[in-house]
Amino acid sequence: MDSTAGTARRAAPGDGADLPLSYAQQGMWFLERRAGRTRYADPMTFRLVGELDTTALRESIEELARRHEALRTSFPVVDGRPVQRVAPHTAVPLPLTDLAGLPAAQREDAAARFLAEDQRRPFDLARGPLVRAALLRLAPREHIVRITLHHLVSDAWSWWAVLLRELERLYAARRNGRPSPLPPVRTQYGAFVRWQRDWLAGPVYAQHLAHWKRVLADAAPLPPLALARPGALKDERPPRTRWLTFPRPLYDRLRGVARRERVTLFMLLFAAFTRVLRRYVDTDDLLVATRGGFRTRAEFEKAVGFFVNLLPVRTRVPAQGEFRDLLHQVRRDLLEVYAHRDVPFERLTADLGLWRPGYRPAISVCVSFQTTPEVPPALEGLDVTPVDHDPFSPYPLDLGFYEDAGALRALLTHHPGQYDDAAAGRLLDDLHRVLEAVCREPEET
């Protein structure tokens, strides 16, 4: 166990004592502290059409903060190290900005400007709160609500599977004058932090570390792709995004190939993108990453907090060769990765010396599959639709795949200082062509 565990005494959930950060939180806290600004805001934004009960909505949001300690957590520095401190209460105001008086043509522009400015508003990690809300009125029966958390206290599962589902039930109850129908929260994030520290101090961790030491021996970071802009690494412009929606016939054929080859759809997509990457580097030894979760234990399923882990994937991708061979190599690689997914990436990089200040980061490309269904909250009496926002990623290239309502989409987040819009478009076009070819191979053989 590292020395950070000693900066806060062991405590039971909610007893008011400080706790250490999880390893994932440590990494994010360090990166944000080094940047000197809020980089990891995590907003949810929805358009509400119908008769909105503003009081019920505000009280429901505050009830979420009352229920979940993560939403009442701040990160002060004690004895030179950050700790988690849970406040007994956190107020979450819901200020209203009324745009209904503007001409119709100007309302959407004004709303977009408001949301962009809100996205840039900083959080004070040391003092908190790390939750805020805002409400825009576009018309008497049309509003936009935004609830923003800092990513240190949330992840996609926390939002889509826990908080928004609870918001549905709380809003219906408040709107009808009933008390909360929700049972008490059984497990708070602090319980996970303690479990992780104890697990890493136990005998099993050495076995997992030995595996990673073997797999990552002499691993080198993926070099910048040939598409990268030279000399622009310090460009501070925010990341940009580009969507690609795959035609339904292609999506269906890809699922058929995955079934036939006994792989998951993500294994197929991951292998295809590594083949694309190989075209733009001069090595067949590719080190990229995917995201995994620490919710491998049932008690953490309904806990709110930051449970995301970065999983390094090292794959040999020859410039030539059968895609089927690459696909089954990726299957083996990913199954091994998943078997050792509980090792925090931040602890792994420290123990194996994968990253040192002044050197190229170990990971520059991340490829993930969003498995959490992104279903907007069903708020009684309202038609609710999501308002898209551009997510932040610390990686120069971050490709996410989404299955939604019978469709397959890819979202490429790219840092324009290193990969401009043309480069991002070319990568997605190449991916589309590779997947088309993948679906033809079985038919031709």
Side-chain angles (χ1 to χ4, degrees), residues 45-50 52 54 95-115 134-146 382-383 385-387:
T45 314
F46 300 100
R47 189 180 299 267
L48 314 175
V49 177
L52 173 65
T54 305
L96 174 67
T97 300
D98 196 342
L99 304 178
L102 294 175
Q106 298 180 19
R107 291 176 204 157
E108 294 297 331
D109 289 342
R113 286 194 301 272
F114 178 96
L115 295 175
L135 186 66
L136 303 178
R137 178 184 289 130
L138 304 180
R141 289 174 51 84
E142 184 175 4
H143 296 77
I144 291 177
V145 63
R146 166 170 282 181
L382 296 167
D383 181 22
T385 55
V387 177

Side-chain angles (χ1 to χ4, degrees), residues 30 42 49 57 62 67 91 101 132 195 202 209 237 406:
F30 172 79
D42 189 18
V49 177
L57 181 61
E62 289 208 326
R67 288 173 53 78
R132 64 173 180 254
W195 172 85
L209 184 62
R237 286 178 293 169

